[in-house]
Amino acid sequence: MSKDTKKQVDELHEKIEGLEIEVSLLRDAYFQLEKAKKALEESERNLNKSQEIAHLGSWHLDIEKNVLTWTDEIYRIFGLKPQEFAATYEAFLERVHPDDRKKVDKAYWTSVKKRQPYNIEHRIIRPDGSIRIVNERCDTEYDKNGKALRSIGNVQDITERKKIEGELNRYKFVIDQSTQQIAFADLEGNITYVNNAWAKDHGYKKEELIGKHLSIFHPETELTTVETFNKTLLKKGHLSGEIVHKRKDGSTFPALMHNFVLKQNNKPIGLIGVAVDITKEKQIDMMKTEFVSLASHQLRTPIGGIKLLLETFKSEGIDHLTTHQQEFLTDIEVSTERMIGLIDQLLDISRLEGGKIDLQLRRVDLPSLVEKTIGALSHLFEEKRIKINYKKPSETLSQIRVDKNLTEQVIQNLLTNAAHYSRKQRARVDISLEEVDGVVILSIKDNGIGISKHEQQEIFTRFFRADNARKVYASGSGLGLYISKMIVRLLNGQLWFKSPGEGKGSTFFLSFPTVASKKSNA
Amino acid sequence: MKKILLIEDDEFYTKTYKYGFEKAGYEMLTAENGDEGLKLLQSEKPDLVLLDLIMPVKDGFDFLKEIRANEALKDTPVIVLTVLAQEEDREACKQCGIDLYLVKTEHSLAEIIKKTEGVMKKRGILE
């Protein structure tokens, strides 16, 4: 080979090597490009997916060329296929709800001209006629002369959110307008919300109250009650009770409160208070009690007068009267006694219901009290030929702590009932006492008319008289057991009965906790 | 004859008590309210007062307070004769110092006369 040829071959080799390196570089570049392309595709897929999950799509508007580019999600939101969309600004505006078009158009161009942020909520209509609510935002880019070049923005479908907001607003409206006072507070008792009634009834403006502590709504004297109330509230999760409230001007009113602990995922996150001003209810209650009390006293005077007049009348001798006249006189006396008894009962009820009883609690020996009452009623039992079997307790029973007079009244009520509702022949009443588990129980068992199954649940209700009872003793008031039940409840005891049914007798039980034990069986 | 002042606003109680006590041999003075009662007490100086509690113009409670504050009248024997049966009322009267508290509806006329005589004996007005 000549020297020239060798040189040429060497040059060729170099060139080939060079080319190989370039090819190799190109190949690398190609692979990098492929890799980048794949990464881009994946990134686009991720963007697409996240936009779908968020119902958020992005768009790009080339203002000069009027070319609108949408991501897949916007097509989904608008319910369109890319082929169906002209991809211009006007085409977009066509999809906006006709009532919103003007405002959207104006808002966008204003934002472009004035270089203000674009953020608007409006409705769109899908091809199938359904309406969605969307939130649109965008940024606009300008050239150095201030000419708008392009807008880059996004659209989010907020239809579901708007629906929930609508429902929330409905509830919020109801709470705001409620005539009951409603307040929300955090767990420390700082107010986060009050409704109109709470603010107004306490004499404040709503705004003044946010952040204030719940304690400002109570007078000093009530604060320990409030503390105890709140402690119990946090333990139980809900609590109702009467508490005194204080207004801005210092005046107070009684309120019935229903409070709740608000929980989220089972953890307490706040407090809800609902209060009702019960001034009127308390006034009415007091008026009722005063009225009954006054009426009873006003009635007692003339009726007592009748009794006295009859006595004086009789003191001048009634032998000269006809037998009928003498009988009628006796009837007047009996009728008067009944009226006095009824008025006494009404007075009792007004005092018991009004909470105006001054209890004289003492240690009492129940068996002696029972024996005393049996003695006091012996004439009644003799008259009706009822055999009394009193079983004296075999060992000394523990004492009870009760109001002696009121307890005697209850025992008397139970014994007279046994007498009134006894059977006509071979009537008997078995009375016994026992002590069981820190409680003394008195049982009074008769073999009289009994109580029918369907009337049993009403026995302790006011004015109730069973049909069979009315037949054998017409003039009962239906108040005796009602009063007895109230008294027993006041004294922390229990009053109940058993009766197999009509005609099969009844047993009444009266129990009180003994003084040694602290158990209350209320 | 011993003199008893009855201070009572109800006409029928007044009539029957007057009847009963006069029959038992006492001179009866009557007043319709605490005001009239005070006047009669001072002018007639009865041996004992039967006092109703609920009366117009001046009630029994005020009457009691006033006579107990009066040197000349504070030792007057007083029996309260009322329809009020509550402990609070009984206590309020006891505070003022009375000889007896009787609930009208709990006693017959004969009993009331007997108890009145009991008080008069205790006070040395009767033997």
Side-chain angles (χ1 to χ4, degrees):
Chain A
M1 213 183 284
S2 69
K3 231 206 260 180
D4 281 325
T5 322
K6 188 153 191 288
K7 202 172 163 203
Q8 280 178 358
V9 168
D10 283 338
E11 279 177 2
L12 267 172
H13 275 303
E14 266 183 52
K15 276 211 178 104
I16 291 172
E17 271 181 36
L19 275 171
E20 279 179 342
I21 292 173
E22 276 190 46
V23 167
S24 163
L25 283 174
L26 272 172
R27 220 191 340 250
D28 283 341
Y30 176 74
F31 282 134
Q32 293 291 31
L33 209 63
E34 278 295 297
K35 225 166 124 187
K37 202 166 132 202
K38 278 211 176 69
L40 187 67
E41 275 172 7
E42 184 159 336
S43 152
E44 263 189 41
R45 258 199 307 277
N46 286 338
L47 179 69
N48 208 342
K49 197 75 208 173
S50 63
Q51 288 201 344
E52 187 182 346
I53 292 171
H55 298 299
L56 177 79
S58 14
W59 54 266
H60 172 282
L61 176 65
D62 185 323
I63 297 177
E64 219 172 351
K65 299 206 183 93
N66 194 10
V67 173
L68 186 55
T69 317
W70 278 358
T71 56
D72 289 350
E73 182 53 26
I74 304 197
Y75 282 102
R76 268 192 289 272
I77 291 175
F78 279 68
L80 292 168
K81 297 198 184 66
Q83 310 88 282
E84 301 168 331
F85 187 58
T88 61
Y89 176 76
E90 286 71 27
F92 151 71
L93 214 55
E94 272 295 301
R95 314 300 332 157
V96 173
H97 191 287
D99 295 343
D100 294 345
R101 255 174 232 159
K102 228 165 133 188
K103 94 166 175 189
V104 169
D105 193 40
K106 184 163 178 224
Y108 174 64
W109 290 114
T110 311
S111 92
V112 170
K113 240 185 288 199
K114 296 210 175 144
R115 299 204 185 206
Q116 275 167 0
Y118 176 65
N119 185 347
I120 187 171
E121 286 179 11
H122 64 85
R123 291 163 291 177
I124 59 170
I125 306 189
R126 289 182 173 169
D128 65 4
S130 61
I131 297 178
R132 308 295 292 176
I133 305 176
V134 299
N135 177 220
E136 278 208 76
R137 295 171 204 244
C138 82
D139 272 336
T140 304
E141 285 169 15
Y142 306 82
D143 67 10
K144 9 185 231 260
N145 300 320
K147 177 156 163 242
L149 292 175
R150 66 184 74 88
S151 290
I152 302 176
N154 52 41
V155 176
Q156 184 164 32
D157 186 336
I158 55 171
T159 316
E160 297 312 318
R161 189 197 352 136
K162 279 302 195 192
K163 213 186 288 179
I164 295 174
E165 267 178 34
E167 258 183 61
L168 254 170
N169 282 334
R170 253 200 303 282
Y171 284 115
K172 190 159 183 294
F173 180 79
V174 169
I175 294 178
D176 265 330
Q177 300 296 320
S178 171
T179 50
Q180 292 192 316
Q181 306 163 5
I182 301 174
F184 299 158
D186 63 25
L187 289 173
E188 274 81 56
N190 302 307
I191 296 179
T192 55
Y193 163 82
V194 296
N195 74 340
N196 299 341
W198 184 291
K200 180 156 173 260
D201 292 354
H202 287 88
Y204 293 94
K205 293 209 181 73
K206 268 183 170 181
E207 309 83 67
E208 301 180 71
L209 291 175
I210 308 296
K212 293 279 194 313
H213 194 261
L214 287 174
S215 53
I216 66 169
F217 298 118
H218 304 284
E220 287 285 313
T221 47
E222 199 76 350
L223 284 179
T224 28
T225 314
V226 173
E227 241 189 81
T228 323
F229 190 90
N230 285 335
K231 277 206 190 93
T232 319
L233 170 63
L234 286 168
K235 245 197 280 182
K236 287 178 75 175
H238 63 89
L239 189 59
S240 299
E242 282 184 27
I243 292 191
V244 180
H245 279 224
K246 186 176 78 171
R247 297 191 189 91
K248 188 176 183 184
D249 65 5
S251 61
T252 62
F253 62 89
L256 177 61
M257 288 214 81
H258 302 287
N259 291 355
F260 306 88
V261 174
L262 183 62
K263 293 207 177 120
Q264 202 169 62
N265 302 328
N266 247 321
K267 272 179 71 180
I269 56 165
L271 305 171
I272 302 174
V274 180
V276 181
D277 185 334
I278 52 172
T279 310
K280 205 173 265 169
E281 281 79 358
K282 284 213 170 267
Q283 276 174 352
I284 291 174
D285 207 42
M286 185 150 64
M287 272 163 56
K288 267 199 314 197
T289 315
E290 278 176 9
F291 173 78
V292 177
S293 193
L294 189 68
S296 300
H297 284 140
Q298 300 288 60
L299 285 171
R300 269 176 140 197
T301 305
I303 291 180
I306 294 174
K307 216 176 149 185
L308 193 61
L309 288 163
L310 277 170
E311 191 191 329
T312 332
F313 179 97
K314 283 166 77 177
S315 75
E316 294 210 343
I318 57 170
D319 293 333
H320 63 289
L321 294 175
T322 69
T323 322
H324 280 158
Q325 281 177 314
Q326 291 180 30
E327 259 180 50
F328 287 132
L329 205 56
T330 311
D331 292 341
I332 294 173
E333 283 179 307
V334 170
S335 189
T336 309
E337 284 300 326
R338 278 190 204 155
M339 244 197 300
I340 293 178
L342 184 61
I343 291 170
D344 281 344
Q345 283 184 319
L346 288 175
L347 245 187
D348 274 346
I349 291 177
S350 88
R351 285 190 305 138
L352 284 163
E353 283 184 349
K356 288 183 181 31
I357 299 253
D358 225 347
L359 292 179
Q360 312 276 335
L361 297 176
R362 308 258 183 285
R363 282 170 158 255
V364 166
D365 183 55
L366 192 56
S368 344
L369 197 57
V370 173
E371 284 160 35
K372 176 180 172 212
T373 317
I374 296 175
L377 293 173
S378 55
H379 64 282
L380 178 61
F381 293 126
E382 269 169 40
E383 219 178 271
K384 291 185 155 263
R385 281 199 270 260
I386 302 171
K387 187 160 186 290
I388 299 292
N389 291 328
Y390 170 61
K391 191 160 149 249
K392 212 171 154 94
S394 46
E395 27 172 55
T396 325
L397 301 181
S398 308
Q399 291 186 311
I400 57 178
R401 192 152 188 274
V402 290
D403 180 305
K404 194 155 175 227
N405 289 339
L406 289 177
T407 311
E408 191 172 337
Q409 194 175 332
V410 174
I411 301 172
Q412 195 169 66
N413 173 231
L414 297 177
L415 288 175
T416 44
N417 280 351
H420 286 140
Y421 305 121
S422 57
R423 62 158 69 161
K424 293 213 176 76
Q425 312 282 357
R426 279 170 294 144
R428 55 184 282 160
V429 178
D430 297 306
I431 305 163
S432 63
L433 289 139
E434 58 170 346
E435 182 171 342
V436 177
D437 284 339
V439 150
V440 175
I441 307 176
L442 162 68
S443 19
I444 298 172
K445 180 176 176 188
D446 67 69
N447 59 355
I449 64 176
I451 307 167
S452 71
K453 288 293 179 186
H454 69 274
E455 285 178 313
Q456 288 189 10
Q457 33 185 0
E458 302 205 72
I459 284 295
F460 290 113
T461 58
R462 218 200 272 209
F463 297 121
F464 179 75
R465 300 222 62 218
D467 290 331
N468 61 349
R470 253 182 243 267
K471 287 204 191 93
V472 298
Y473 176 54
S475 55
S477 61
L479 293 174
L481 282 175
Y482 175 69
I483 293 172
S484 290
K485 191 86 173 178
M486 267 201 283
I487 291 174
V488 171
R489 198 173 288 150
L490 250 184
L491 297 177
N492 241 3
Q494 293 276 54
L495 175 60
W496 73 103
F497 68 93
K498 280 202 186 94
S499 175
E502 200 167 333
K504 303 201 180 119
S506 335
T507 312
F508 274 76
F509 302 93
L510 174 64
S511 78
F512 292 103
T514 60
V515 227
S517 82
K518 281 244 172 174
K519 240 192 286 180
S520 113
N521 53 357
Chain B
M1 219 191 323
K2 301 298 174 191
K3 233 191 290 192
I4 297 178
L5 171 59
L6 170 65
I7 310 179
E8 165 68 59
D9 67 327
D10 181 89
E11 56 177 315
F12 299 124
Y13 282 108
T14 306
K15 188 168 167 186
T16 40
Y17 290 147
K18 185 159 187 266
Y19 170 86
F21 276 93
E22 275 175 356
K23 237 173 138 201
Y26 298 94
E27 185 187 336
M28 293 303 285
L29 301 162
T30 63
E32 280 186 353
N33 57 57
D35 229 12
E36 269 187 42
L38 265 171
K39 289 199 191 101
L40 276 177
L41 178 60
Q42 288 170 306
S43 62
E44 299 291 319
K45 304 209 195 318
D47 297 290
L48 180 133
V49 174
L50 290 169
L51 179 65
D52 184 22
L53 289 179
I54 310 284
M55 292 178 290
V57 182
K58 187 173 285 176
D59 66 20
F61 296 105
D62 288 335
F63 174 88
L64 268 176
K65 286 194 200 113
E66 281 190 42
I67 64 166
R68 292 313 176 205
N70 183 317
E71 270 306 309
L73 304 173
K74 68 180 168 86
D75 285 324
T76 313
V78 174
I79 296 179
V80 167
L81 200 47
T82 175
V83 286
L84 297 179
Q86 255 67 285
E87 272 307 308
E88 312 102 69
D89 302 308
R90 205 181 280 260
E91 277 309 309
C93 291
K94 284 223 182 94
Q95 296 282 347
C96 290
I98 54 171
D99 293 78
L100 195 59
Y101 187 100
L102 292 174
V103 178
K104 283 173 184 157
T105 42
E106 285 174 13
H107 307 282
S108 66
L109 180 51
E111 280 170 16
I112 292 173
I113 296 174
K114 203 149 156 241
K115 287 190 188 273
T116 306
E117 291 178 331
V119 166
M120 287 201 281
K121 284 203 183 102
K122 217 158 127 202
R123 286 289 216 122
I125 303 168
L126 282 180
E127 294 76 57

